[in-house]
Every structure is written in C-alpha cells, then in structure tokens.
Amino acid sequence: MTRRRGQSDLPAYGGMSAFAGDIHNHCAISYGHGSIEDAYANARMQLDFASVTGHASWHDMPEDPAHVADYHRRGFARLQEQWEHVQDVTDGAHVDGEFVSFLSFEWHSMTYGDHCIYYRSGRGPLAPAQAQSLEELRTELRAVQAAGLPTMALPHHIGYLAGRRGVNWDTYSAELSPVVEMISMHGSGEQDNSPRPYLHTMGPRDAGSTAIAGLGRGHRFGFIGSTDHHSAHPGSHGHGLAMVWAPELTRESLWEAIQARRTYAITGDRIMLATSVDGAPMGSEITASGSREIAVQVRGGAALETVQLLRNGEVIAEKRPEHATLSDTFDGILAIAFGWGEVGAFIDWDVEVSLSGGEIHAVEPRLRGYDTLADQAGETDRYAFSSWRQTSRSTATLTTRTYGNPTVTTDATQQLALHVEVGADAVLTVTANGRTLRRTIAELMTGPAVSYIGGFLSGAFVMHRALPYHAASLTWELTDEGTGDQTDIYYARVRQVNDQHAWSSPTWVTHPRA
C-alpha cells in the first residue's frame, strides 16, 4: 500500500510528516458495537495511529432516564471485565514505523466535562477511572506518571454547556491536557458560529464552552479531532481526525508532538495544514515586539473554498487559490465514491480501479463505518467490512459495504482518492460489481461521471471531477503588526467546497514589557 502523508516545505516543519490518527472511538469493549480486533483492523486500513477507547465510569451520572444510566453501567462493567484483553490487543496492534497504538479509557463527568485518558503505552491501569472529581483524577494520573508511565487527560465534545458534560474552563489545566478534542461526530467546538453544529441528543453548543472562549480566558491548548465513532471504525470519514506533525511514526515521537501542540484538527479529508509565526510551528509560544511574519501552507483533498487567518478569534485575512491555466498534464486527485441505493439495503462492493497512461502515486482511503451512537436491538454480522490494496503502479482494488444514505443530508458513501500525475489523455477505468465506467482525465476535468449497478434505486458510483492540486493548494505569507495587547493568538482555518475543514493549533505571541 502507498499511503499518503502530508509534508510541508515551511522550515518549521523540516524533517516532519503530518500523521493522521483517531484516538477517541468506541466498540463493544464497553457500550458500542463490534470487536476491538475489528476496530484496529479498520484503523490500520487508513490511519497512522489510533486508540480504541472504552467507556469506564461516570461519577455524577443522572439516574434519569433510567435506560440510559443502565446501559452506561453495563458498558462500564464490560470494560472492567475485558481490560486485560483490551491491553493485549492494543499492545499487539503497535509496530513502530508502521502503526502506533495507545491505550485509553473515557471518564465521564457532568461537572467537569468528559475526558479521555491516554497512556504512552499499550498497557496501563484502569483504577484512575474511579476518581470522583477532576482533581482526584489528576492526582491518580500524576502517580502513574511518577511510576514511569506518561499520561494525558484530554477534554472532548467541549462545546456542551458546562455542567452538561461540556468543558468546565474554571477547572481546566494544561498540565495533563496540552490539547483538546475540538471536532468529532458531535460537531465543532471551535466557536458558536463555526461549521458543524451540535445536533446530538445532548443538546446544542454553548458559547462559553467553545475553544475560543477558553483561549480568551488565557488557557493555552492545541486542537485535535477524533471521531467518537461507536461501531469499531476508527477514522470513519468525515467525523474528525487528529493530525500530528512529528519526525517519526513512534509512540515517543507522536507523544512529544502532542505535548508540544504540533497538532491540527480535520473533519475527514487528509488536508495538509502547516502554519508558522516568525519561523515557529503551530502550538509555539514566542515573544515579538513588532510585526510578525506569518506563513500558512495548505494542500487539501478537494477544491479550497477559503483559508482564513484568525487573531484572537477574529478573521483578519482570507485567501483563495489562484486560478491556473490547464495544461496537457494533470497533477492532482481522482476521487471515486460508491454507495446510494435504498436505505438499509446492504450492498457489498467489489471494485477495481485502473489508470492507463500514468501511475498512482498514493491512495487515500475515505471509508466509513456504521453511524450508531447507542445500544440497538440487533448486531450486524460484521464491522470490519472494507479492504483496499494498491496492486500495481496503476491499479488498486477495494472491497467494502454500503447501506444507503440514512438521510438526504448524511453521506454514507465509501470513497477512494487517487493521487496521480498523468497526461490529460490518460484513462481512468472503474469496474464495480460487474459494471465498468471509463473516462479520460480531460473528460473528468469538465465534470463527474456516474454509473449504476442495477435498476432504479440500485447502488451507484461516481468518478468525481478531477481535482488539480492547484485548486486545492496554496502557500501564503503575510505580515501582521498585532493588536498591541500583551498576547495575540493566531491560528488558521480551512474550508473546502465539499464541507471538509481543518483548524491549526494556535500560536501565542507575547509582547515584551519593560
């Protein structure tokens, strides 16, 4: 497999790659669906690192509604029973340089907001989950660290109202929480008006719980995403991923990068985002008495709609890719999506994709699992149902499953994105379940091509419009004089035309005072 990993030519990111992970997701080790073995199989298929998280405890859980409290307790007991097995599988999934795994569990709290607890290992104690307050939890984790096992406690779905499982900025500390999970299937907790609103049964997002509110109160933290998926599918496309700038794919290297806040949050497409302020990477704290030299570099997975630079929560500059003339060669992305058909009707797909007249440089899988948050009446037969391979320099295969789009605004398709450099007369051929579709790159530059695998309301597949990199990329340099305040906070926000997004971690610039 040729996996795509982002790199930047900004000097601040020399020798680093942008590794993609999902460190908060669930399966049947607590409450959720599918085995942990399926979860890690799905993770290795399209991620560089992952942690499969068990729901562990809830010290101030409401007793009403009773059925919700009941299934939480069953889930907590299940994790306790399986903890040794969870450690074995997590440790066994890890191979330095190929795939990194971390052990984790989730600590729920109405009062302090939910936190996911991580160990820089595949093994660690579950006992800290019984803490009855956030400070007690921190005390337990400090003891674990003192014994030689580094830990983190990262807030997630921060945007809910404080006291309703949203972050409590009054009790937040960066000591064990260098980053916060800002985007997941719950929505975006960046600002009250940012894309991806909170639509879960737990309620809307509250302005006082957002990331920008926490930054405004003087807290310093970076941004990550994760899916919070509940059906054994870490990295389920579109819900959130953690991107980490690190020199190596090892536990130690990724952990150090998260501690340094060299992280950014994305929703799904593998957007490369790099920022620097006076040569320092995202997450840095620097001192500057005058103007600041800022650089932003982006390479997206679809056409860029806008890239914005924010200072202290306000957009101060905006840029779009410059128009480029077409040529006889194509350097960019060919994306193919599979699915549609009747809702709930499973379609098992057998796909071969081939490219004549050029090579596939890398494959970016954009695959999804079943979107289920809570207990359901029955289980499906399997939760690891996708597999892909790049079988040659010009061919890739995919087997996967779709079940229709649950609503007219919910995308449940499965996708492959091919990164290629070919002539405009090269031909892309997709054979799916016995149906073949062919188009030249020149034809796909003018628009998508569609085919069905049967009659009316059957499954369908589409070759999306060919995307040249120049429509998805930009490098932007600008100078800002700052506000004159003691500290200014800068970060970048990316929006693609396909409703995929990215947010860099902030950089803090402090003005020296005499």
Side-chain angles (χ1 to χ4, degrees):
M1 295 181 184
T2 306
R3 182 160 299 181
R4 180 169 178 78
R5 292 177 179 136
Q7 295 181 318
S8 171
D9 56 18
L10 297 183
Y13 299 88
M16 298 184 196
S17 296
F19 295 108
D22 179 1
I23 57 173
H24 175 202
N25 56 88
H26 302 282
C27 66
I29 57 173
S30 52
Y31 60 86
H33 310 278
S35 69
I36 189 172
E37 290 84 357
D38 278 358
Y40 273 114
N42 286 329
R44 293 180 66 95
M45 184 176 57
Q46 60 182 348
L47 300 173
D48 299 308
F49 64 97
S51 180
V52 179
T53 313
H55 301 92
S57 65
W58 191 346
H59 68 97
D60 55 359
M61 181 172 62
E63 292 300 323
D64 184 35
H67 72 279
V68 174
D70 183 53
Y71 82 67
H72 277 81
R73 289 194 182 93
R74 291 199 308 269
F76 302 155
R78 194 175 300 128
L79 182 65
Q80 185 77 44
E81 293 167 1
Q82 297 192 63
W83 190 242
E84 285 301 320
H85 180 65
V86 169
Q87 294 178 86
D88 289 344
V89 175
T90 302
D91 221 20
H94 177 85
V95 180
D96 270 348
E98 295 182 13
F99 180 81
V100 168
S101 62
F102 297 104
L103 184 67
S104 66
F105 61 84
E106 183 171 353
W107 183 81
H108 301 264
S109 176
M110 297 287 281
T111 306
Y112 307 102
D114 287 15
H115 289 66
C116 290
I117 313 308
Y118 299 94
Y119 297 125
R120 198 188 68 187
S121 173
R123 299 187 180 277
L126 186 57
Q130 301 310 311
Q132 298 299 297
S133 71
L134 185 55
E135 188 51 42
E136 183 182 344
L137 176 65
R138 290 173 179 150
T139 299
E140 293 287 333
L141 295 179
R142 290 183 192 113
V144 173
Q145 290 206 131
L149 179 57
T151 69
M152 290 188 292
L154 305 185
H156 73 89
H157 57 44
I158 61 173
Y160 290 115
L161 184 69
R164 292 294 186 109
R165 294 177 63 188
V167 70
N168 185 335
W169 291 124
D170 289 337
T171 59
Y172 169 81
S173 167
E175 177 194 1
L176 296 170
S177 307
V179 301
V180 303
E181 184 184 303
M182 193 182 72
I183 180 74
S184 70
M185 67 189 309
H186 286 264
S188 167
E190 178 208 8
Q191 300 191 34
D192 62 280
N193 61 352
S194 59
R196 304 292 180 94
Y198 279 24
L199 299 175
H200 188 273
T201 55
M202 288 166 56
R205 61 189 168 200
D206 177 70
S209 299
T210 58
I212 202 65
L215 293 172
R217 294 178 62 167
H219 297 307
R220 299 194 175 189
F221 51 85
F223 301 156
I224 63 167
S226 280
T227 63
D228 201 359
H229 197 266
H230 279 59
S231 298
H233 210 293
S236 187
H237 183 263
H239 292 317
L241 290 179
M243 302 298 297
V244 177
W245 283 106
E248 298 178 314
L249 185 56
T250 64
R251 280 176 175 156
E252 291 74 15
S253 183
L254 293 178
W255 194 273
E256 183 278 329
I258 295 171
Q259 297 294 313
R261 302 182 295 236
R262 283 197 315 273
T263 63
Y264 62 100
I266 64 174
T267 52
D269 286 5
R270 200 67 55 85
I271 298 169
M272 188 287 290
L273 173 59
T275 65
S276 68
V277 182
D278 287 351
M282 63 180 71
S284 299
E285 301 180 33
I286 66 173
T287 301
S289 57
S291 61
R292 300 88 191 255
E293 301 301 321
I294 300 171
V296 181
Q297 191 169 64
V298 181
R299 176 169 282 191
L304 296 178
E305 183 173 334
T306 183
V307 178
Q308 298 174 325
L309 179 68
L310 292 90
R311 183 187 63 209
N312 304 334
E314 300 291 335
V315 176
I316 61 169
E318 190 166 6
K319 190 172 181 64
R320 291 171 173 80
E322 296 179 2
H323 177 74
T325 57
L326 299 180
S327 66
D328 292 334
T329 61
F330 173 82
D331 184 18
I333 301 171
L334 304 176
I336 311 104
F338 308 86
W340 292 274
E342 294 188 83
V343 177
F346 288 124
I347 302 172
D348 289 309
W349 293 85
D350 187 2
V351 176
E352 182 178 83
V353 179
S354 63
L355 186 66
S356 65
E359 294 185 0
I360 300 171
H361 293 314
V363 178
E364 179 188 335
R366 300 172 178 174
L367 304 173
R368 295 178 166 93
Y370 306 126
D371 288 348
T372 304
L373 278 174
D375 280 359
Q376 58 187 12
E379 296 284 306
T380 66
D381 59 338
R382 55 195 170 122
Y383 289 86
F385 46 76
S386 297
S387 178
W388 70 273
R389 292 180 60 220
Q390 185 172 345
T391 53
S392 73
R393 292 182 175 181
S394 60
T395 308
T397 62
L398 169 70
T399 58
T400 189
R401 168 180 279 188
T402 61
Y403 52 99
N405 295 321
T407 74
V408 294
T409 59
T410 303
D411 186 352
T413 62
Q414 308 287 12
Q415 303 176 37
L416 285 183
L418 312 179
H419 295 260
V420 305
E421 185 175 358
V422 296
D425 59 349
V427 177
L428 178 66
T429 301
V430 177
T431 300
N433 292 16
R435 297 296 180 99
T436 297
L437 185 63
R438 293 186 180 88
R439 291 292 188 274
T440 65
I441 304 305
E443 289 173 319
L444 291 175
M445 287 288 290
T446 67
V450 173
S451 181
Y452 291 79
I453 60 173
F456 184 60
L457 299 184
S458 69
F461 59 101
V462 58
M463 298 174 173
H464 286 298
R465 181 190 294 269
L467 175 72
Y469 283 136
H470 66 73
S473 306
L474 63 79
T475 298
W476 183 18
E477 296 179 350
L478 66 160
T479 301
D480 183 62
E481 299 299 325
T483 63
D485 293 341
Q486 178 70 33
T487 301
D488 288 320
I489 306 168
Y490 296 91
Y491 68 91
R493 181 166 64 196
V494 178
R495 183 169 68 242
Q496 297 183 163
V497 298
N498 65 346
D499 192 39
Q500 299 294 326
H501 306 262
W503 297 263
S504 75
S505 280
T507 299
W508 291 263
V509 182
T510 299
H511 193 289
R513 301 295 183 186

